[in-house]
Amino acid sequence: KKAAKQGPWYLGFAFLPFWILLFFVIVMPLFYRLPTALTLEDAGKGKFIGDRAYNTLNNMVQIGQRLTGSSANEVDAVAFLLEEIEDIRKSMLEDYYTLEVDLQKVTGAHTYHSISEMYIGVQNVVVKLSSKNTTSDSYLLVNSHFDTVLTSPGAGDDGFMVAVVLEVLRVMATTKQHFEHPVVFLFNGDEEMGMQASHGFITQHKWARNCKAVINLDAAGSGGREILFQTGPSHPWLANYYKKSAKHPFATTLAEEIFQAGLINSDTDYRIFVQYGDIPGLDFGQLINGFVYHTKYDRIEVIPRGAIQNTGHNILGLVRALANAPEMHDTSVYKTGHSVFFDVLGLYFVNYSEDVGKLINFGVAAATLFLVFISVWRMSAVSSLSAGHVGLRLVALLVTQLVAFVLAIALPIVVAYLFDSFGLPMTYYSSPYLLIGLYVCPSLIGLSLPITVFFHFEKQNKLPFNYLVQLGLHGWATILSLVLLGATAYGIRSTYIATISVAFYAVSLAFNLFTTLHDRGYKWAGVTIALQVLPYLYLSSVIYTFIVAMTPMNGRAGSASNPDTMIAALSALGTVLSLGFLVPLINVFRRPSLVVLGLVLVSGITMYVASSTQIGFPYRPKTNSERIMYQEVRRIFYEYDGTVSKDESGYLFNFQDRREERPYTGVNLTGAVRTRPQCDEHMMCGLPLFDERWVENRLQGMWLPRETIEPPSPAKLELISKEVQENNTTVRFIFRASGPPHLNLFIEPYKDDFVNITDWSFSQNYLKHPPAAPLSYHMFITFGVSDPVIEFCLELSVCAQELLNYILTFVLSIYYSSQKPNGDFKVPTVQIGLSAHYMGEKSDANGLYLASTFPQYAILVHWPSLYQRYIF
């Protein structure tokens, strides 16, 4: 038979750029699309008024940073919220609704990572809106937080969501519309210090036990659309209500599984409500422009009005829907498993149960494998070759595609590794277009090179070349189908993304077989390309979502690991999934090797630009700043007899990204040393490690000595009493700690002793489940409106097993004669470290000078602190 002619080489050369262009023309505009904000002229129509919410946000941001324990947070922000709520009450339809307000001051503790998060006197502003004559005792909870981190005005995190919730409350209270279930609006005042206020609400508030579902609103960015990234757990009906009520859907199960797998180093109040309140819900977050998240640039100017309208539309509709949901009466009845959910380019929302998802995945995979078998049989019949001959070609191409898959994933990761090895990570941080040449093109090389080489040597095969190209696609479909079967059986719901690609290929293959285009040269390719447009657009958009979210996170992920490997892997995954069925089609054109060479050329030029020009430098002032965090520390070590063995001062750096101190141009770092050796020598490194991030990064820190620092105010640990119990094997200490509103206590029984802590006045659960060695007990204490003073007791008892070991050892050595198996507690027993963090306090003259020497692209977050180590 006469062989079908391949297309002209220049069309092949333009084939892959066409898809990249399609991404920028369709995916990008839809990703950043926002509605027009409604104005006050639309008020009274029961609609969310974006302009009014925006003005509310602007007024709130004027308060400034709202750090838990500060006057701005505990007085000004609370007063602002109460005034807004009172204004809503004045315009409320009293014939339809009742509104109750409660200012909760709460104390408690919970365990987070390796730390016991303690809070004393933190505040929640709680509002309950109920329809008149409602008899439901099931409440819907809507949560946001009004506190911020140090230096940030918090327009995006989380003032944006607070303004949304206030407007939702206002619209609901002024619209003639009955709803079955009361709605509790929680404005919590301590999320940033470890989700403490939400824990206090869900475990102690009088309305908490009636809350049957939660809508949590948070942020990891500022502006843009909010993403639904967690739902349930095991309550698929919630996704159904989101589908019915969200005007601008933006969600994916993939985000939920990545987040819950711990691949994103973050957390929200949603986990607190689920874990401690056992209530299902939906977790939303801002993710666009995460570069300003937790910085002084998180201002209202970077938030478009359309963003707040977008979120308001969705949340108002969702609150109204859930407030009338019959499932709210007893949500436990509807705990029927997980759901699979995703939006399609923000235009449509798809969701179904996990069980239905398994049926779809298994069905698509089986149908695809069956169609591949039919295609092989058809090729054999038409070409008058044996089925075995065609089958061998399929197997060979399947192996080739496996090699291509490995290379497509591996090559971008290798590039990331090499750049990191030469001290050049994060070159794409300010120039995201570099990702195309750095990672996408190497992935395309990996996808295209093996199969192009294979086809070059197979052109003289008896099987027509157009069939060989189809077999290449069949091999890719077979690989994805097998992956789909395995991953679905393993319980991974995110396999739906592979299902989409495989399903559309199966449809195109079935159409080609039915219409006999399958056997008419390269006409089948047109159908295949047309039916891959939608999978390409969706899959590239969902991966782009994660790149948008993860890239800024790499600027605050610490320096322990290379963050580029994750971005490289995401880029490779997006390339493989969205273009896996398209890349082999470069071989339907002449000279496909030119395409491969073009990819190599683009990659080479991009790598040069990223490594040798200013374009590849990660940081830019204001928009893509370098985050620099350090403490101005004075640390004092008191020995058992009260003498001071160490009294020194210095700057403790907690590196926020992989480049560490290398970009600190102009800063005098003479005498700086790493903290790792101190961590081997002292309890918790002998440093004022602030929270879980400081603890996790403790081995990568840096200490820069300086002259003595005088703390802004005193902080001390006092021994009130020490009493040996009657059993003569237990000693009871009572201490008083005082200082600023943010304190840390590190507690560790003395290493050369035979005692354990058997009781204390802190969390018993934390005592029973201590942090893994080499970490000590770590109490992170936040004071809200309470005086920063805490009294606590410790009981230490001789461990029987260790005592037995001691007695046996005593026979052999007199070294242990200084110990106390007889209950003599007049020797070192326990060491305690007290860290006092003066957050928001100004630096001294030397500290201000150091801060002035950092480059313009740096964002500084620093504060004075005092660390005192005691032995009792």
Side-chain angles (χ1 to χ4, degrees):
K1 297 183 185 298
K2 186 177 180 180
K5 290 185 178 180
Q6 292 172 279
W9 66 270
Y10 52 85
L11 290 181
F13 203 74
F15 184 69
L16 292 180
F18 166 77
W19 294 99
I20 294 176
L21 179 64
L22 200 64
F23 173 82
F24 285 102
V25 170
I26 297 179
V27 174
M28 293 281 282
L30 288 176
F31 184 84
Y32 292 103
R33 185 184 61 168
L34 294 171
T36 301
L38 298 181
T39 65
L40 288 175
E41 295 178 357
D42 301 297
K45 300 177 182 179
K47 297 180 179 180
F48 185 95
I49 307 301
D51 266 5
R52 187 165 56 194
Y54 197 86
N55 292 334
T56 300
L57 173 60
N58 185 54
N59 293 334
M60 184 176 184
V61 170
Q62 299 307 313
I63 298 173
Q65 70 174 24
R66 303 176 295 279
L67 195 68
T68 304
S70 69
S71 176
N73 192 70
E74 309 304 333
V75 178
D76 299 340
V78 170
F80 169 81
L81 290 169
L82 294 176
E83 288 173 6
E84 287 291 319
I85 294 165
E86 187 58 32
D87 184 63
I88 292 172
R89 185 196 297 274
K90 291 178 182 177
S91 57
M92 181 181 68
L93 299 176
E94 296 184 355
D95 292 340
Y96 285 81
Y97 306 109
T98 59
L99 189 146
E100 301 172 66
V101 182
D102 183 50
L103 178 60
Q104 182 191 25
K105 300 175 183 178
V106 64
T107 297
H110 69 94
T111 302
Y112 182 58
H113 289 258
S114 61
I115 302 174
S116 178
E117 297 275 355
M118 300 180 60
Y119 50 94
I120 301 173
V122 302
Q123 298 187 98
N124 289 315
V125 178
V126 194
V127 183
K128 185 174 73 169
L129 181 68
S130 309
S131 289
K132 288 280 189 179
N133 303 320
T134 181
T135 59
S136 175
D137 59 359
S138 297
Y139 303 164
L140 171 65
L141 175 64
V142 182
N143 173 72
S144 60
H145 68 90
F146 59 85
D147 65 314
T148 70
V149 296
L150 187 63
T151 76
S152 176
D157 182 29
D158 194 27
F160 181 98
M161 293 302 190
V162 171
V164 167
V165 174
L166 283 170
E167 181 63 17
V168 168
L169 172 59
R170 184 185 302 274
V171 174
M172 293 186 67
T174 56
T175 304
K176 297 178 180 180
Q177 182 178 2
H178 174 82
F179 49 91
E180 178 68 21
H181 311 291
V183 182
V184 174
F185 297 90
L186 170 60
F187 304 92
N188 86 70
D190 183 10
E191 188 268 352
E192 299 292 1
M193 293 300 162
M195 297 159 292
Q196 298 172 346
S198 58
H199 181 268
F201 171 82
I202 202 64
T203 58
Q204 300 180 46
H205 197 273
K206 59 184 178 181
W207 295 331
R209 66 176 63 91
N210 296 97
C211 294
K212 300 300 177 63
V214 60
I215 298 173
N216 185 63
L217 303 170
D218 212 327
S222 189
R225 298 184 294 158
E226 81 291 342
I227 186 171
L228 170 62
F229 64 98
Q230 292 188 96
T231 186
S234 300
H235 285 262
W237 61 275
L238 288 166
N240 292 334
Y241 279 94
Y242 179 77
K243 179 179 182 178
K244 296 175 184 177
S245 56
K247 293 184 178 181
H248 316 289
F250 186 28
T252 172
T253 296
L254 182 60
E256 178 177 273
E257 292 196 317
I258 288 178
F259 193 88
Q260 293 178 355
L263 299 179
I264 297 177
N265 189 18
S266 186
D267 207 349
T268 71
D269 287 321
Y270 172 83
R271 181 186 63 82
I272 298 295
F273 297 128
V274 172
Q275 179 178 345
Y276 295 97
D278 193 26
I279 59 175
L282 303 106
D283 199 8
F284 295 89
Q286 292 280 326
L287 60 83
I288 294 174
N289 195 17
F291 298 103
V292 303
Y293 170 76
H294 280 190
T295 73
K296 63 182 180 180
Y297 298 120
D298 186 11
R299 301 169 180 167
I300 193 169
E301 291 81 5
V302 301
I303 299 176
R305 292 176 184 265
I308 206 165
Q309 185 68 53
N310 186 93
T311 301
H313 270 158
N314 289 340
I315 301 305
L316 176 60
L318 184 60
V319 171
R320 281 174 167 166
L322 291 178
N324 285 294
E327 293 88 347
M328 287 284 293
H329 287 289
D330 187 0
T331 57
S332 62
V333 176
Y334 300 94
K335 191 174 184 179
T336 56
H338 294 289
S339 61
V340 178
F341 58 89
F342 57 93
D343 73 286
V344 181
L345 301 175
L347 303 175
Y348 187 73
F349 185 75
V350 179
N351 73 294
Y352 44 84
S353 69
E354 184 177 14
D355 291 338
V356 171
K358 289 180 179 179
L359 292 176
I360 293 174
N361 293 349
F362 288 140
V364 167
T368 302
L369 294 175
F370 175 74
L371 288 169
V372 168
F373 172 78
I374 296 298
S375 177
V376 170
W377 173 82
R378 179 73 176 171
M379 291 178 186
S380 171
V382 173
S383 62
S384 301
L385 295 172
S386 67
H389 181 89
V390 180
L392 285 175
R393 300 277 72 74
L394 174 62
V395 171
L397 279 163
L398 190 150
V399 173
T400 302
Q401 290 285 49
L402 275 176
V403 173
F405 175 81
V406 173
L407 286 177
I409 299 296
L411 288 180
I413 295 176
V414 169
V415 172
Y417 174 78
L418 291 175
F419 267 69
D420 184 67
S421 300
F422 287 100
L424 296 170
M426 300 171 58
T427 55
Y428 54 85
Y429 191 70
S430 295
S431 306
Y433 297 119
L434 291 176
L435 292 173
I436 297 174
L438 288 176
Y439 303 139
V440 174
C441 284
S443 184
L444 288 172
I445 293 170
L447 273 180
S448 59
L449 183 60
I451 198 166
T452 301
V453 171
F454 180 91
F455 286 150
H456 176 76
F457 290 103
E458 284 286 318
K459 278 194 173 183
Q460 303 306 317
N461 194 282
K462 295 179 181 179
L463 189 67
F465 188 70
N466 60 306
Y467 280 167
L468 276 175
V469 178
Q470 288 193 68
L471 287 177
L473 300 187
H474 293 354
W476 188 250
T478 301
I479 292 171
L480 289 186
S481 295
L482 294 176
V483 169
L484 192 56
L485 292 172
T488 302
Y490 189 72
I492 300 176
R493 288 171 287 138
S494 299
T495 48
Y496 81 86
I497 59 176
T499 302
I500 292 174
S501 185
V502 175
F504 275 82
Y505 179 72
V507 171
S508 67
L509 179 54
F511 182 85
N512 286 326
L513 285 168
F514 181 76
T515 59
T516 70
L517 292 176
H518 177 271
D519 310 311
R520 301 188 205 171
Y522 296 104
K523 293 181 179 179
W524 57 268
V527 177
T528 302
I529 291 172
L531 284 174
Q532 283 298 310
V533 170
L534 184 58
Y536 167 78
L537 294 176
Y538 172 72
L539 293 170
S540 60
S541 71
V542 74
I543 297 301
Y544 179 71
T545 298
F546 285 97
I547 291 177
V548 167
M550 296 302 299
T551 297
M553 289 183 183
N554 289 342
R556 58 181 189 272
S559 62
S561 60
N562 178 13
D564 292 5
T565 54
M566 176 172 286
I567 299 298
L570 279 172
S571 302
L573 181 62
T575 303
V576 165
L577 289 174
S578 60
L579 292 169
F581 285 111
L582 295 168
V583 169
L585 294 178
I586 64 172
N587 291 278
V588 305
F589 306 100
R590 291 192 293 271
R591 300 180 183 177
S593 57
L594 290 178
V595 178
V596 180
L597 290 175
L599 292 171
V600 173
L601 182 63
V602 171
S603 291
I605 293 173
T606 305
M607 291 177 192
Y608 171 78
V609 169
S611 61
S612 304
T613 72
Q614 192 65 20
I615 295 175
F617 187 69
Y619 314 114
R620 304 288 188 273
K622 297 184 180 180
T623 57
N624 305 80
S625 303
E626 180 190 19
R627 298 165 184 261
I628 298 176
M629 183 175 290
Y630 62 90
Q631 297 180 45
E632 301 159 8
V633 181
R634 182 175 182 181
R635 58 177 184 170
I636 306 171
F637 286 16
Y638 296 99
E639 297 303 319
Y640 181 68
D641 60 2
T643 60
V644 176
S645 60
K646 184 189 293 287
D647 185 351
E648 63 180 11
S649 299
Y651 301 103
L652 175 62
F653 288 87
N654 179 17
F655 296 121
Q656 297 296 289
D657 67 49
R658 185 69 165 175
R659 294 212 171 192
E660 297 185 328
E661 78 277 12
R662 293 191 296 276
Y664 298 178
T665 55
V667 182
N668 184 3
L669 299 178
T670 304
V673 295
R674 295 293 175 174
T675 56
R676 181 183 288 266
Q678 301 183 54
C679 296
D680 296 332
E681 182 179 357
H682 301 294
M683 172 187 67
M684 299 296 279
C685 308
L687 296 168
L689 305 176
F690 180 62
D691 58 14
E692 76 283 352
R693 295 181 184 271
W694 285 77
V695 172
E696 292 167 359
N697 296 337
R698 67 191 183 281
L699 301 180
Q700 288 77 39
M702 185 177 73
W703 174 265
L704 176 64
R706 59 155 286 177
E707 64 277 3
T708 301
I709 296 174
E710 290 298 331
S713 61
K716 58 184 177 180
L717 178 68
E718 302 172 86
L719 176 62
I720 304 302
S721 66
K722 175 182 178 181
E723 179 182 354
V724 178
Q725 304 298 301
E726 293 181 359
N727 58 19
N728 213 33
T729 60
T730 301
V731 61
R732 179 181 177 87
F733 296 96
I734 297 180
F735 299 98
R736 179 186 294 117
S738 59
H742 301 94
L743 296 175
N744 283 297
L745 283 171
F746 307 128
I747 303 176
E748 184 177 288
Y750 204 66
K751 292 181 178 179
D752 296 330
D753 221 331
F754 298 119
V755 296
N756 286 329
I757 299 175
T758 53
D759 197 10
W760 61 11
S761 52
F762 303 121
S763 167
Q764 291 297 314
N765 181 64
Y766 187 56
L767 179 61
K768 295 175 182 176
H769 302 91
L775 299 178
S776 305
Y777 291 105
H778 182 179
M779 267 60 70
F780 180 93
I781 310 172
T782 302
F783 297 89
V785 292
S786 301
D787 291 333
V789 178
I790 181 173
E791 289 192 3
F792 63 95
C793 69
L794 293 178
E795 283 191 4
L796 297 99
S797 301
V798 176
C799 177
Q801 182 61 47
E802 293 183 359
L803 178 58
L804 177 60
N805 293 339
Y806 165 79
I807 295 173
L808 295 175
T809 307
F810 180 79
V811 177
L812 302 176
S813 173
I814 62 172
Y815 169 76
Y816 297 97
S817 60
S818 63
Q819 307 302 320
K820 45 155 196 30
N822 60 351
D824 180 10
F825 286 96
K826 296 180 181 179
V827 292
T829 304
V830 63
Q831 50 183 327
I832 301 177
L834 174 67
S835 296
H837 299 273
Y838 302 90
M839 306 189 78
E841 297 287 346
K842 293 183 178 180
S843 306
D844 61 13
N846 291 312
L848 292 173
Y849 173 75
L850 177 74
S852 70
T853 62
F854 284 94
Q856 289 185 342
Y857 52 75
I859 298 177
L860 305 184
V861 177
H862 57 101
W863 64 89
S865 61
L866 173 64
Y867 177 79
Q868 300 170 89
R869 195 283 314 268
Y870 302 85
I871 298 177
F872 296 100

